[in-house]
Amino acid sequence: MLDKEYRILIINPGSTSTKIGVFDNEVSIFEKTIRHDIEEINSYTNIIDQYEFRKNTILETLDKEGINISKLSAVCGRGGLLRPIEGGTYAVNDRMLEDLRAGFSGQHASNLGGIIAYEIASGLNIPSFIVDPVVVDELDQIARISGFSLIERKSIFHALNQKAVARRVAKDLGKKYTDLNLIVTHMGGGITVGIHKQGRVVDVNNGLHGDGPFSPERAGTVPAGDLVALCFSGEHYREEIMKKLVGQGGLVGYLGTNDAIKVEQRIEAGDQEAKLVYDAMAYQVAKEIGAASAVLSGKVDAIILTGGLAYGKGFVKSITDRINWIADVIVQPGENELQALAEGALRVLRGEEEVKTYPGNFSTAKI
């Protein structure tokens, strides 16, 4: 008997573009990145005011491509900066829409994903979802302690890709995600190392502007005393320091570029500074993975390397040579967010996973 076919529209808004996809079950039948006019985007005072414009652009694109939206089974949007919630697929509800519009944890283009999904789906009388937003918070209480009583460690990471690749690897191994202990490292503009203990990410570095390895654009953990001295030196504004930590940190700060391919080309041409900095980034990633293995008492079923930097064979080898004694290293390069969102919606539509209600009642998340 053939599986029922579900057609799902996927919406993933970025700062100046919106990625959309249409999936028949797991198979993508249409994908497009809609580039928005910068002047049009800048004409809106708040990000949230863009939703009508973006929604209409999406519908016009689908119509132009001959895709009949009346055949859709569901619409799934990228989850935004919501309240901390456990991982999974959530139905878009009034509480979620309220928090997305208000920017509960900040204003970001991804906040538009759930809103547009709901607007399109409600007109078709079909469900709308979000899947594993960056605010997924499954930290053990012990992992929240920073050592400084005024600051608590936060869970902000590449939850969508980390959870998706973890589930795929579990399937390839013939196991359930909830039965495995995995260390998943997403390596892109930011780098996050998540400790997946039987389906929950019990610890992870804050990949936005917190701790962990430095990355192409972010400084990661820096010496706290020196940072405080720099902040109070009178030579820098708050915004300037934040930019040096996020956006102008990591490779950008040292080498003036966030492009790993260009850095590798410089290394091949004999640039010793580029080699040292690039090796240091791999070193810090490996060190973070080693620390993660201690959280699992060494009981690690697999280590997964994913994200754009996982395409770099030399970079991956530099990490793998330091950590392959812990467990097998599985490389899953890239980050297919549209596919991950479609898979999350499918699990619910097929009854493989229960849909969750926002904001839920998850004990480790602060609601």
Side-chain angles (χ1 to χ4, degrees):
M1 182 177 177
L2 294 175
D3 290 338
K4 181 177 178 180
E5 186 170 283
Y6 296 100
R7 178 164 289 187
I8 309 166
L9 170 63
I10 308 300
I11 300 169
N12 184 7
S15 57
T16 60
S17 65
T18 303
K19 294 180 182 178
I20 61 173
V22 178
F23 285 74
D24 282 346
N25 291 345
E26 292 93 345
V27 179
S28 171
I29 64 169
F30 171 73
E31 293 187 20
K32 186 177 180 66
T33 298
I34 303 170
R35 308 287 179 185
H36 302 300
D37 183 77
I38 299 297
E39 289 186 7
E40 178 78 35
I41 290 292
N42 291 338
S43 69
Y44 296 95
T45 304
N46 300 308
I47 289 174
I48 213 66
D49 297 332
Q50 301 172 18
Y51 97 88
E52 189 75 34
F53 152 70
R54 294 213 194 202
K55 182 189 79 170
N56 291 336
T57 303
I58 291 168
L59 293 174
E60 288 167 7
T61 301
L62 293 172
D63 183 60
K64 184 179 179 181
E65 296 292 335
I67 294 173
N68 185 353
I69 64 171
S70 67
K71 294 182 179 181
L72 294 174
S73 307
V75 186
C76 186
R78 181 69 188 267
L81 297 178
L82 293 159
R83 300 166 189 262
I85 53 177
E86 68 175 335
T89 299
Y90 286 78
V92 181
N93 59 18
D94 289 341
R95 183 77 179 277
M96 182 187 294
L97 291 170
E98 180 182 328
D99 284 348
L100 288 172
R101 290 185 179 116
F104 182 87
S105 295
Q107 294 290 346
H108 191 273
S110 61
N111 291 8
L112 296 165
I115 297 172
I116 298 172
Y118 176 83
E119 290 288 333
I120 294 175
S122 60
L124 299 169
N125 198 30
I126 57 175
S128 54
F129 306 111
I130 67 162
V131 181
D132 290 328
V134 295
V135 293
V136 164
D137 185 345
E138 299 171 343
L139 297 188
D140 283 344
Q141 291 301 327
I142 197 170
R144 300 180 189 279
I145 305 299
S146 70
F148 183 45
S149 63
L150 299 180
I151 298 176
E152 183 178 86
R153 293 187 67 243
K154 296 180 177 67
S155 177
I156 301 177
F157 70 111
H158 305 89
L160 180 63
N161 188 44
Q162 282 210 22
K163 290 269 190 178
V165 296
R167 289 187 180 99
R168 289 174 201 149
V169 166
K171 185 177 181 180
D172 290 344
L173 294 175
K175 302 286 183 67
K176 292 181 180 179
Y177 170 51
T178 51
D179 290 338
L180 295 175
N181 289 342
L182 303 168
I183 298 173
V184 184
T185 302
H186 177 104
M187 305 182 297
I191 295 176
T192 54
V193 180
I195 303 167
H196 297 238
K197 185 177 182 180
Q198 298 176 351
R200 292 178 57 245
V201 183
V202 297
D203 201 348
V204 65
N205 63 294
N206 179 339
L208 181 58
H209 47 66
D211 48 6
F214 74 82
S215 74
E217 299 176 351
R218 294 164 197 173
T221 301
V222 296
D226 293 336
L227 179 60
V228 170
L230 193 65
C231 290
F232 287 90
S233 66
E235 298 177 6
H236 305 280
Y237 293 106
R238 180 184 185 277
E239 293 76 14
E240 183 184 357
I241 293 293
M242 286 303 298
K243 284 182 179 179
K244 288 184 180 296
L245 292 174
V246 182
Q248 297 176 1
L251 295 185
V252 174
Y254 284 106
L255 303 175
T257 181
N258 63 359
D259 190 331
I261 294 175
K262 290 182 179 178
V263 174
E264 290 174 353
Q265 290 171 344
R266 285 168 60 172
I267 293 170
E268 289 175 6
D271 188 329
Q272 291 302 307
E273 181 188 9
K275 184 179 188 308
L276 176 62
V277 172
Y278 207 49
D279 285 347
M281 187 166 70
Y283 169 86
Q284 289 197 4
V285 172
K287 189 166 68 167
E288 190 79 11
I289 292 170
S293 71
V295 173
L296 294 169
S297 302
K299 298 174 182 177
V300 182
D301 293 297
I303 297 168
I304 305 170
L305 303 180
T306 184
L309 289 177
Y311 284 111
K313 293 181 180 179
F315 186 71
V316 166
K317 184 178 186 302
S318 184
I319 295 168
T320 302
D321 286 347
R322 293 182 183 274
I323 57 152
N324 58 12
W325 58 273
I326 299 171
D328 289 341
V329 179
I330 300 171
V331 182
Q332 296 269 319
E335 180 181 13
N336 194 336
E337 295 171 336
L338 298 183
Q339 183 78 39
L341 290 167
E343 290 171 357
L346 266 177
R347 287 193 296 272
V348 165
L349 293 172
R350 287 172 169 168
E352 298 170 357
E353 186 178 294
E354 286 189 16
V355 66
K356 294 181 177 177
T357 302
Y358 179 83
N361 187 29
F362 191 55
S363 60
T364 65
K366 292 197 169 184
I367 305 300

Short mmCIF file of all heavy atoms in Angstrom, two decimals, residues 264 278-279 282 311-321:
data_model
loop_
_atom_site.label_atom_id
_atom_site.label_comp_id
_atom_site.label_asym_id
_atom_site.label_seq_id
_atom_site.Cartn_x
_atom_site.Cartn_y
_atom_site.Cartn_z
N GLU A 264 41.29 29.02 2.59
CA GLU A 264 42.01 27.83 2.15
C GLU A 264 42.92 28.14 0.96
O GLU A 264 44.03 27.60 0.86
CB GLU A 264 41.01 26.72 1.80
CG GLU A 264 40.30 26.15 3.03
CD GLU A 264 39.20 25.16 2.69
OE1 GLU A 264 38.89 25.01 1.48
OE2 GLU A 264 38.65 24.55 3.61
N TYR A 278 43.17 29.41 10.87
CA TYR A 278 42.25 28.34 10.43
C TYR A 278 42.46 27.08 11.27
O TYR A 278 41.48 26.44 11.68
CB TYR A 278 42.51 28.06 8.95
CG TYR A 278 41.32 27.51 8.20
CD1 TYR A 278 40.07 28.12 8.29
CD2 TYR A 278 41.44 26.39 7.37
CE1 TYR A 278 38.98 27.64 7.58
CE2 TYR A 278 40.36 25.91 6.65
CZ TYR A 278 39.13 26.53 6.76
OH TYR A 278 38.06 26.05 6.06
N ASP A 279 43.70 26.75 11.53
CA ASP A 279 44.00 25.60 12.39
C ASP A 279 43.46 25.83 13.80
O ASP A 279 42.99 24.88 14.46
CB ASP A 279 45.51 25.34 12.45
CG ASP A 279 46.06 24.72 11.18
OD1 ASP A 279 45.25 24.26 10.35
OD2 ASP A 279 47.31 24.69 11.01
N ALA A 282 39.73 25.05 13.92
CA ALA A 282 39.51 23.60 13.98
C ALA A 282 39.88 23.06 15.35
O ALA A 282 39.19 22.20 15.91
CB ALA A 282 40.33 22.91 12.89
N TYR A 311 32.07 20.95 4.22
CA TYR A 311 32.51 20.65 2.86
C TYR A 311 34.03 20.72 2.73
O TYR A 311 34.60 20.15 1.80
CB TYR A 311 31.89 21.63 1.86
CG TYR A 311 30.44 21.39 1.55
CD1 TYR A 311 29.45 22.27 1.98
CD2 TYR A 311 30.04 20.27 0.80
CE1 TYR A 311 28.11 22.06 1.69
CE2 TYR A 311 28.70 20.05 0.50
CZ TYR A 311 27.74 20.94 0.95
OH TYR A 311 26.42 20.73 0.65
N GLY A 312 34.68 21.43 3.66
CA GLY A 312 36.13 21.59 3.60
C GLY A 312 36.85 20.36 4.10
O GLY A 312 36.90 20.11 5.32
N LYS A 313 37.42 19.57 3.20
CA LYS A 313 38.03 18.30 3.59
C LYS A 313 39.21 18.49 4.54
O LYS A 313 39.38 17.72 5.50
CB LYS A 313 38.48 17.54 2.34
CG LYS A 313 37.31 17.07 1.48
CD LYS A 313 37.79 16.29 0.26
CE LYS A 313 36.60 15.83 -0.59
NZ LYS A 313 37.04 15.07 -1.79
N GLY A 314 40.02 19.50 4.30
CA GLY A 314 41.16 19.75 5.17
C GLY A 314 40.72 20.16 6.56
O GLY A 314 41.28 19.71 7.57
N PHE A 315 39.71 21.03 6.63
CA PHE A 315 39.20 21.49 7.91
C PHE A 315 38.60 20.33 8.70
O PHE A 315 38.85 20.17 9.91
CB PHE A 315 38.15 22.58 7.67
CG PHE A 315 37.64 23.24 8.93
CD1 PHE A 315 38.45 24.08 9.67
CD2 PHE A 315 36.34 23.02 9.37
CE1 PHE A 315 37.98 24.69 10.83
CE2 PHE A 315 35.86 23.63 10.52
CZ PHE A 315 36.69 24.46 11.25
N VAL A 316 37.81 19.50 8.02
CA VAL A 316 37.19 18.34 8.66
C VAL A 316 38.26 17.37 9.15
O VAL A 316 38.16 16.83 10.26
CB VAL A 316 36.22 17.64 7.69
CG1 VAL A 316 35.83 16.25 8.20
CG2 VAL A 316 34.97 18.49 7.48
N LYS A 317 39.29 17.15 8.35
CA LYS A 317 40.36 16.23 8.75
C LYS A 317 41.08 16.74 9.99
O LYS A 317 41.43 15.95 10.89
CB LYS A 317 41.36 16.03 7.61
CG LYS A 317 42.45 14.99 7.92
CD LYS A 317 43.38 14.79 6.74
CE LYS A 317 44.36 13.65 7.02
NZ LYS A 317 45.18 13.85 8.23
N SER A 318 41.32 18.05 10.03
CA SER A 318 42.00 18.63 11.17
C SER A 318 41.21 18.39 12.47
O SER A 318 41.81 18.14 13.53
CB SER A 318 42.18 20.13 10.94
OG SER A 318 42.93 20.71 12.00
N ILE A 319 39.89 18.44 12.38
CA ILE A 319 39.04 18.18 13.55
C ILE A 319 39.01 16.68 13.85
O ILE A 319 39.23 16.25 14.99
CB ILE A 319 37.61 18.69 13.30
CG1 ILE A 319 37.59 20.20 13.15
CG2 ILE A 319 36.68 18.26 14.45
CD1 ILE A 319 36.28 20.75 12.64
N THR A 320 38.77 15.89 12.81
CA THR A 320 38.60 14.45 12.97
C THR A 320 39.83 13.78 13.57
O THR A 320 39.72 12.88 14.42
CB THR A 320 38.26 13.80 11.61
OG1 THR A 320 37.07 14.40 11.10
CG2 THR A 320 38.03 12.31 11.76
N ASP A 321 41.02 14.22 13.16
CA ASP A 321 42.25 13.62 13.67
C ASP A 321 42.36 13.77 15.19
O ASP A 321 43.03 12.95 15.85
CB ASP A 321 43.47 14.27 13.01
CG ASP A 321 43.66 13.82 11.57
OD1 ASP A 321 43.00 12.85 11.16
OD2 ASP A 321 44.46 14.46 10.84
#
